């Protein structure tokens, strides 16, 4: 749909006052949302107020409701929890309490509220909005306010953002804090695995989630747990026997440890609680395994927010201010939520009702319905977990006589191993023989190929890098030898996991089909690269881990300057010609500028940035952060920019530079990358099975696939996972610079600039439409993992 871009310059907040509060349980990333609301509000010339201690502060008034400035939210982006405090508030539940709150807001002219909290907090806000005009009239009758005020402040606008680590709110794929909580859980699981391995122990881990099993389910998927207990999907009658058989089978297969994950709200099919202690006692009594319980508790709420949560909260905060500016008395209270990779607005009460429906379904024992109501993303996580965790006995497996090979191509990226594991296990379940190719196409040509079994890929999800080995070599120079290996091993399909080289390789194989009919088989590419520069997808496996590495380092670097005043850091990131890491890293680390290849810059812009930083140093914020993509400009090198800033900043600030290098490629994969890799790989394998069935010819008894749509790349586009023929993606690719011609994240660039106090124009064409919950296309969208 070609529409004229709509810019928010036309939206002015002059004369408006916005109150921002955090309520209910805290969650990492709430501060990023508060910061975005404050800065965006001030940017559009509105007044912005902090409401301290949630609704309690609104009722108490006084120093709890304070006007804030740009600097008030400096340095809070990397802090967990909420700096403006949150409290459970009994008095707001009473009419008197709400009357007092309305009086306190009117005194300051606040008629726009941005509430960051869970469904309880948002329901309270909606009730407050419905009662507002009545409350004002009552205040006027009591002589507290005059008739003029009743007229002037007649309507209260409310926009909600969901901050909750449980991800228990319907209508959004991810709530603020969920990804960070998963980081905490996975850090613990990875640490426990090494000790469990040493002693051949079984560990029972209890994670948060009183009414929602999202954290338990996704962490089980991300660490390959043996068993998981969640409230939405209780185990079948007799689960005790089934679980014990499964655990002892795993031990018999030489697996030295077992991990069982229990959500705190786990129940059996009679709605009786299943506790971690109960599970431990069962394992000890029946199997005699050395078993330990670890309850994670509030660790999950703590710590610094992940890159994903900071970007999500920043996007939502800006969107919330836009929604408040556009709100009319007729628009219902809305929540800003995430669908796939898009910020959308949904009616608050529709989301709340749907969230309550899930609980009702669980209470009434309609568990399948509860899973369905949680949304497509939750359902897919559950189905993928069931597919990968439990091996079907060999005798019961179908036999297709197809051989499928998996290989890694290009530079290593965290999450590749999770993708290989999922491909192998789904392939075996579908009845194929799975083969692993060592060292990419180079290894393929040399015949480094072997059959790989279910057990061979156990424990792979948490491993960084590429266990199969990977090379950047393209197949073009080995075509004959690769064809020969495909013939010798009778390979009927290929899954290629890698970056831009993987995409190019598959184009080469497709073009070589006329000379080598061995390549006329289904081929699927999975994008895996830290650079996120593959056409046809918004996200690549590995980019999230790299982004977290960058953000973590930026946090440390910023902290190193807290003792020394007035210092600017120039940080160089990887990414080839693609500015994704530099741009998103800058947004998540609260940088002042990011230089990227996609947005050409000249000496005047560099000069303007230096002046901007000089101005900033006059305030109480006395440090600066500048990110530069490694190939953003061949002449304005990192050294050049460092020297320019050093010279121009003399007497005002000093400069340091940092080249992050290969630390961005290493490390254990983030929960997002493990799950994204696992889910798209499972989906790709099912596509390969379908294509194999479609293209098998009885005479001469082999697979023959030579159409364009038999070589596809599986990518995530906005809200959906889509298979796209690589031949069609050619027109979208800049092959010289190895980047897509159009990149979605460039739309977020103005966001980074606004939050760093630059005047810029921001295209808001995508926002502003209020959608309805039921109508959301819920195809498994892993922007929420």
């Amino acid at each position: 749909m070609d529409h004229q871009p709509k810019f928010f310059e036309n939206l002015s907040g002059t004369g408006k006052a916005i109150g921002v509060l955090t309520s209910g349980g805290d969650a990492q990333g709430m501060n990023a949302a508060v910061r975005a609301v404050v800065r965006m509000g001030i940017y559009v010339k509105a007044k912005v107020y902090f409401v301290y201690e949630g609704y309690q502060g609104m009722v108490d008034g006084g120093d709890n409701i304070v006007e804030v400035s740009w600097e008030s939210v400096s340095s809070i982006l990397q802090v967990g929890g909420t700096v403006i405090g949150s409290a459970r508030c009994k008095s707001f539940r009473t009419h008197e309490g709400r009357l007092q709150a309305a009086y306190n807001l009117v005194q300051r002219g606040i008629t726009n509220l941005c509430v960051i909290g869970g469904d309880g907090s948002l329901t309270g806000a909606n009730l407050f909005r419905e009662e507002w005009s009545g409350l004002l009239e009552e205040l006027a009758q009591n002589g507290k306010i005059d008739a003029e005020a009743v007229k002037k402040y007649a309507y209260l606008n409310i926009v909600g953002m969901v901050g909750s680590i449980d991800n228990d709110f319907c209508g959004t794929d991810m709530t603020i804090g969920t990804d960070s909580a998963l980081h905490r859980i996975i850090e613990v699981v990875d640490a426990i695995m090494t000790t469990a391995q040493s002693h051949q122990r079984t560990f029972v881990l209890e994670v948060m989630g009183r009414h929602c099993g999202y954290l338990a389910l996704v962490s089980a998927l991300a660490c390959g747990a043996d068993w998981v207990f969640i409230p939405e999907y209780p185990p079948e009658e007799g689960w005790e026997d089934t679980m014990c058989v499964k655990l002892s089978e795993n031990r018999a297969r030489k697996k030295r440890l077992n991990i069982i994950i229990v959500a705190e709200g786990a129940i059996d099919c009679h709605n009786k609680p299943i506790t971690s202690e109960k599970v431990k006692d069962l394992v000890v009594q029946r199997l005699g395994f050395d078993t330990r319980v670890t309850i994670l508790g509030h660790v999950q709420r703590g710590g610094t927010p992940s890159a994903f949560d900071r970007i999500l909260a920043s996007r939502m905060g800006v969107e919330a201010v836009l929604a408040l500016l556009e709100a009319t008395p007729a628009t219902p209270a809305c929540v800003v939520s995430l669908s796939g990779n898009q910020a959308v607005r949904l009616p608050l009460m529709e989301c709340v009702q749907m969230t309550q429906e899930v609980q009702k379904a669980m209470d009434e024992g309609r568990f399948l319905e509860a899973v369905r109501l949680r949304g497509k993303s939750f359902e897919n996580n559950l189905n993928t977990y069931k597919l990968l965790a439990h091996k079907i006995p060999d005798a019961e497996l179908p036999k297709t006589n197809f051989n499928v090979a998996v290989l890694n191509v290009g530079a290593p990226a965290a999450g590749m191993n999770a993708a290989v594991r999922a491909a192998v296990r789904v392939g075996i379940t579908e009845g194929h023989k799975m083969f692993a190719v060592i060292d990419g196409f180079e290894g393929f040509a040399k015949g480094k190929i072997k059959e790989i079994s279910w057990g061979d890929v156990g424990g792979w999800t948490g491993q960084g890098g590429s266990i199969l080995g990977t090379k950047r070599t393209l197949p073009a120079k080995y075509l004959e030898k690769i064809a020969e290996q495909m013939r010798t091993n009778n390979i009927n399909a290929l899954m290629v996991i890698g970056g831009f080289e993987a995409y190019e390789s598959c184009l080469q194989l497709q073009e070589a089909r006329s000379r080598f009919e061995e390549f006329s088989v289904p081929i699927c590419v999975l994008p895996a690269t830290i650079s996120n520069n593959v056409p046809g997808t918004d996200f690549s496996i590995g980019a999230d881990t790299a982004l977290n590495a960058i953000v973590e380092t930026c946090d440390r670097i910023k902290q190193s300057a807290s003792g020394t005043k007035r210092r600017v850091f120039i940080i160089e990131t990887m990414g080839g010609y693609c500015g994704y890491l530099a741009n998103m890293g800058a947004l998540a680390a609260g940088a002042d500028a990011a230089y990227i290849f996609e947005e050409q810059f000249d000496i005047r812009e560099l000069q303007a940035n230096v002046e901007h930083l000089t101005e900033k140093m006059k305030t109480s914020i006395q440090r600066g952060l500048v990110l530069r993509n490694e190939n953003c400009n061949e002449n304005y090198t990192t050294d050049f920019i460092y020297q320019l800033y050093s010279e121009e900043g003399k007497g005002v600030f000093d400069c340091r530079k940092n080249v992050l290098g290969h630390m961005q490629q290493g490390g254990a994969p983030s929960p997002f990358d493990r799950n994204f890799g696992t889910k798209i790989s499972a989906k790709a394998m099912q596509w390969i099975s379908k294509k194999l069935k479609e293209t098998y010819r009885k005479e001469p008894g082999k697979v023959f696939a030579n159409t364009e749509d038999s070589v596809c790349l599986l990518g995530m586009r906005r809200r959906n996972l889509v298979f796209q023929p690589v031949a069609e993606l050619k027109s979208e690719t800049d092959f010289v610079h190895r980047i897509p011609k159009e990149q979605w994240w460039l739309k977020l660039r103005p966001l980074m600039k606004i939050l760093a106090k630059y005047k810029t124009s921001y295209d808001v064409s995508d926002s502003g439409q209020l959608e309805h919950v039921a109508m959301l296309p819920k195809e498994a969208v892993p922007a929420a993992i």
Side-chain angles (χ1 to χ4, degrees):
M1 67 190 200
D2 274 347
H3 50 241
Q4 281 308 98
K6 174 178 105 190
F7 294 102
F8 77 84
E9 280 72 11
N10 324 341
L11 294 170
S12 167
T14 313
K16 291 197 172 183
I18 300 172
V20 57
L21 70 145
T22 51
S23 170
D26 67 319
Q28 308 95 320
M30 278 183 165
N31 289 326
V34 168
R35 170 179 177 266
V37 170
V38 169
R39 293 199 164 170
M40 186 66 178
I42 291 172
Y43 188 88
V44 295
K45 301 190 170 52
K47 282 182 168 187
V48 186
Y49 290 83
F50 274 169
V51 179
Y52 286 104
E53 310 306 338
Y55 288 119
Q56 192 63 54
M58 205 193 288
V59 175
D60 296 344
D63 292 345
N64 289 305
I65 308 175
V66 182
E67 190 178 346
V68 287
S69 68
W70 191 271
E71 282 88 48
S72 308
V73 289
S74 169
S75 305
I76 67 169
L77 186 61
Q78 63 270 29
V79 181
T82 161
V83 293
I84 56 175
S86 176
R88 311 243 178 237
C89 174
K90 288 207 174 82
S91 47
F92 192 74
R93 295 178 181 209
T94 65
H95 181 75
E96 287 69 35
R98 292 192 294 275
L99 190 65
Q100 186 57 40
Y103 174 70
N104 292 332
L105 293 185
V106 169
Q107 287 298 296
R108 295 161 180 82
I110 301 173
T111 54
N112 295 281
L113 276 186
C114 181
V115 183
I116 308 163
D119 58 342
S121 312
L122 299 180
T123 314
N126 192 58
L127 173 66
F128 190 41
R129 176 180 174 273
E130 285 170 357
E131 290 182 352
W132 180 259
S133 51
L135 291 171
L136 292 201
E137 276 163 21
E138 197 174 324
L139 287 170
Q141 281 162 11
N142 301 347
K144 284 273 196 88
I145 59 173
D146 56 24
E148 182 59 31
V150 176
K151 215 158 77 187
K152 190 174 174 189
Y153 304 122
Y155 303 104
L156 178 69
N157 295 318
I158 282 186
V159 173
M161 282 184 269
V162 191
S164 153
I165 64 163
D166 293 343
N167 204 21
D168 54 358
F169 194 77
C170 292
T172 185
D173 286 345
M174 285 294 259
T175 57
I176 296 167
T178 307
D179 187 62
S180 303
L182 286 171
H183 272 260
R184 293 303 91 80
I185 296 170
I186 293 304
E187 282 157 18
V188 171
V189 174
D190 285 354
I192 278 177
M193 277 189 160
T194 54
T195 166
Q197 199 104 29
S198 313
H199 296 276
Q200 296 204 33
R201 281 194 173 132
T202 295
F203 269 86
V204 181
L205 249 81
E206 185 180 302
V207 300
M208 280 184 166
R210 240 189 332 243
H211 306 294
C212 178
Y214 184 89
L215 289 178
L217 177 58
V218 174
S219 43
L221 197 53
C223 71
D226 298 83
W227 201 273
V228 64
F229 293 97
I230 57 173
E232 293 87 344
Y233 191 77
E236 288 164 6
E237 201 78 77
W239 60 269
E240 296 89 344
D241 302 333
T242 324
M243 183 181 81
C244 291
V245 168
K246 165 105 196 309
L247 294 178
S248 47
E249 273 176 8
N250 278 353
R251 281 292 167 96
R253 270 195 234 119
K254 304 276 189 295
K255 189 174 175 189
R256 293 179 59 91
L257 79 162
N258 306 104
I259 299 271
I260 300 166
I261 294 184
V262 185
E264 60 179 332
I267 45 173
D268 64 16
C269 49
H270 305 298
N271 252 331
K272 298 267 181 303
I274 296 177
T275 63
S276 39
E277 279 301 327
K278 180 177 174 179
V279 176
K280 175 198 159 175
D281 295 343
L282 186 77
V283 176
V284 172
Q285 282 160 14
R286 299 250 184 130
L287 303 170
F289 288 172
D290 184 359
T291 308
R292 298 281 191 275
V293 173
T294 299
I295 297 175
L296 292 192
H298 282 72
V299 166
Q300 296 159 81
R301 276 193 199 278
T304 177
S306 64
F308 183 95
D309 270 331
R310 296 182 197 193
I311 292 164
L312 171 72
S314 300
R315 285 176 75 177
M316 285 187 169
V318 167
E319 183 70 23
V321 173
L322 295 176
L324 284 172
L325 292 184
E326 291 174 6
T328 65
T331 46
C334 75
V335 279
V336 180
S337 73
L338 180 80
S339 175
N341 189 20
Q342 250 188 309
V344 292
R345 300 177 194 174
L346 300 168
L348 189 146
M349 285 323 285
E350 279 185 30
C351 297
V352 169
Q353 273 151 2
M354 188 127 152
T355 306
Q356 287 164 351
E357 282 297 310
V358 182
Q359 191 53 49
K360 201 171 149 203
M362 279 161 32
D363 293 343
E364 292 170 8
R366 292 179 287 118
F367 295 109
L368 287 173
E369 179 71 357
V371 169
R372 199 185 59 75
L373 286 169
R374 277 265 181 250
K376 203 70 181 157
S377 179
F378 188 91
E379 211 172 339
N380 262 28
N381 283 322
L382 185 59
N383 292 336
T384 310
Y385 175 76
K386 288 194 291 196
L387 207 57
L388 298 174
H390 305 289
K391 185 179 190 304
I392 298 169
D394 292 344
E396 293 170 32
L397 283 173
K399 286 279 176 286
T400 61
N401 296 324
F402 290 132
N403 296 344
V404 181
V406 183
L407 68 160
N408 292 159
V409 180
M416 276 181 164
N417 301 321
V420 173
R421 167 182 176 266
V424 168
R425 291 194 167 179
V426 174
I428 289 170
T429 307
E430 303 260 322
H432 314 318
K433 243 189 193 171
M434 296 302 296
F435 287 82
V437 178
I438 312 299
D439 293 339
F441 283 108
E442 203 173 297
F444 210 161
K446 293 178 185 161
K448 290 181 167 178
I449 178 169
K450 57 173 205 273
E451 193 180 337
I452 187 165
S453 70
W454 181 279
D456 292 339
V457 291
W460 278 28
T461 39
Q463 307 279 333
S466 159
I467 297 174
L468 293 184
T470 179
K471 289 265 194 292
R472 289 178 181 269
T473 322
L474 295 175
K477 57 185 206 186
Y478 299 116
L479 287 171
E480 215 158 299
K481 287 182 170 167
I482 294 170
E484 189 188 319
Q485 287 298 333
M486 292 199 46
R487 202 165 48 247
T488 314
N489 294 288
N490 188 22
I491 299 297
N492 310 112
L494 283 181
M495 187 188 285
V496 187
I497 303 166
F500 201 87
E501 290 90 354
Y503 159 67
E504 271 187 296
S505 300
C506 294
L507 277 170
Q508 290 182 359
L509 294 180
Q510 185 167 28
E511 281 155 19
R513 278 174 166 179
S514 51
R515 288 180 293 145
F516 303 97
E517 64 165 16
E518 287 83 356
F519 300 137
S520 293
V521 294
I523 301 175
C524 191
V525 188
L526 292 187
T529 161
I530 68 166
S531 306
N532 199 23
N533 63 334
V534 181
T537 187
D538 288 357
F539 293 110
S540 303
I541 300 166
D544 183 69
T545 305
L547 201 52
N548 276 297
I550 292 169
V551 169
E552 207 174 300
T553 310
C554 286
D555 285 354
R556 288 189 177 191
I557 288 173
K558 274 165 79 172
Q559 204 171 22
S560 77
S562 62
T564 50
K565 291 287 175 251
R566 302 196 179 145
R567 181 163 284 177
V568 174
F569 292 92
I570 316 289
I571 295 173
E572 182 188 297
T573 68
M574 286 168 109
Y577 283 96
C578 176
Y580 178 81
L581 290 177
N583 189 68
M584 301 307 260
L587 185 56
D592 295 280
Y595 299 118
I596 58 172
F597 170 76
E598 291 87 345
E599 196 175 277
Q600 291 298 299
F601 56 95
D602 57 19
I603 194 73
R604 283 180 294 278
E605 185 159 339
L606 288 169
Q607 181 62 35
N609 291 149
V610 173
E611 285 165 10
H612 187 266
L613 277 166
T614 309
E615 280 305 302
K616 181 179 173 180
M617 295 296 165
K618 291 175 184 166
T619 69
S620 56
I621 315 170
Q622 302 192 338
R623 56 160 188 248
L625 195 61
V626 175
L627 271 66
R628 176 190 175 272
N629 157 274
E630 56 184 353
N631 289 347
C632 65
N633 186 303
E634 58 181 335
N635 294 316
Y636 297 144
T637 59
T638 302
D639 281 334
F640 175 89
I641 292 178
Y642 163 66
Q643 285 162 344
L644 177 84
Y645 272 68
S646 299
E647 180 58 37
E648 294 293 319
K650 262 188 188 159
V652 184
F653 56 78
D654 64 351
C655 241
R656 294 285 184 276
K657 69 168 191 233
N658 226 309
V659 176
L660 298 185
H662 279 75
M663 56 154 288
Q664 297 163 81
Q665 243 174 36
S670 67
F672 181 96
D673 282 330
R674 297 181 191 200
N675 282 16
F676 186 45
T678 300
K679 277 167 87 169
I680 65 172
S681 181
K683 196 176 171 79
M685 204 64 224
Q686 288 163 334
W687 176 86
I688 285 176
S689 298
K690 187 170 122 263
K691 284 284 174 214
L692 283 168
K693 286 192 190 85
E694 287 170 13
T695 56
Y696 180 72
R697 305 275 175 273
K698 280 221 171 77
E699 294 295 325
K702 64 176 196 180
V703 170
F704 185 72
N706 67 344
T707 52
E708 278 195 353
D709 68 354
S710 59
V711 185
C712 277
L713 180 140
L714 173 57
M716 181 177 147
R717 284 268 167 109
R718 289 171 84 99
R719 298 189 186 184
N720 298 309
L721 285 175
V722 264
F723 289 95
Q724 304 145 100
V726 289
E728 284 177 19
L729 292 173
K730 265 166 89 168
S731 59
E732 297 180 21
T733 312
D734 168 353
F735 284 97
V736 179
H737 298 105
R738 301 158 56 92
I739 51 175
K741 287 178 184 169
E742 282 196 11
Q743 309 198 69
W744 68 273
W745 52 265
L746 282 168
K747 276 200 162 160
L748 297 187
R749 219 171 138 65
L751 213 80
M752 184 207 91
K753 292 181 177 175
I754 288 167
L755 297 177
K757 214 172 187 174
Y758 283 94
K759 288 277 174 272
T760 181
S761 57
Y762 180 41
D763 177 3
V764 292
S765 322
D766 282 352
S767 60
Q769 280 66 48
L770 193 66
E771 303 187 13
H772 291 283
V773 181
M775 288 160 51
L776 276 183
K778 275 288 194 179
E779 167 52 15
V781 177
I785 325 172

